[in-house]
Amino acid sequence: MSSLLESIEKEAKRRAYAAMIRCLQSYQGQVEEAVDEFHHGSHSFYRANDEYVPHWQGESRGAYELIYGDLRQIEARIDTTADELLHEISREIARIQRKIEELQ
């Protein structure tokens, strides 16, 4: 009877861990999708930049250059943060996977 109870408890834990992994994988996909969306938008901005900005002068050009520089910095921070976040999610998935394997 005790081994049956242990078996049921282990299976419940495995299922809970598997659910955690699915949630983390979903979150990982959402992060990747958000970063891709941001890059799509910034690339559209850069294409417009290449086409129109060379003709701008004066204050509007100066103000635009500040925005352009800010966007480049933000893009670098987003990439770094996203890489760190995705790495941590992967580590957590691996840690939970090891727990599942320990229950075998």
Side-chain angles (χ1 to χ4, degrees), residues 2-22:
S2 136
S3 74
L4 176 62
L5 185 57
E6 285 178 21
S7 240
I8 292 170
E9 287 175 348
K10 283 183 179 181
E11 182 59 26
K13 284 183 180 180
R14 275 194 290 274
R15 288 178 187 231
Y17 289 145
M20 288 178 188
I21 288 173
R22 285 191 304 274

Side-chain angles (χ1 to χ4, degrees), residues 51-63:
E51 189 172 334
Y52 299 110
V53 174
H55 308 291
W56 292 3
Q57 297 178 7
E59 279 185 46
S60 61
R61 176 67 181 251

Side-chain angles (χ1 to χ4, degrees), residues 23-74:
C23 287
L24 287 168
Q25 288 170 331
S26 174
Y27 180 49
Q28 195 172 34
Q30 290 171 6
V31 169
E32 290 169 346
E33 189 176 308
V35 170
D36 287 346
E37 243 179 84
F38 173 78
H39 283 296
H40 177 73
S42 62
H43 290 303
S44 294
F45 175 84
Y46 296 137
R47 279 193 306 274
N49 174 68
D50 293 342
E51 189 172 334
Y52 299 110
V53 174
H55 308 291
W56 292 3
Q57 297 178 7
E59 279 185 46
S60 61
R61 176 67 181 251
Y64 178 83
E65 291 296 334
L66 292 174
I67 292 170
Y68 183 87
D70 288 346
L71 179 60
R72 286 290 194 186
Q73 288 177 3
I74 290 168

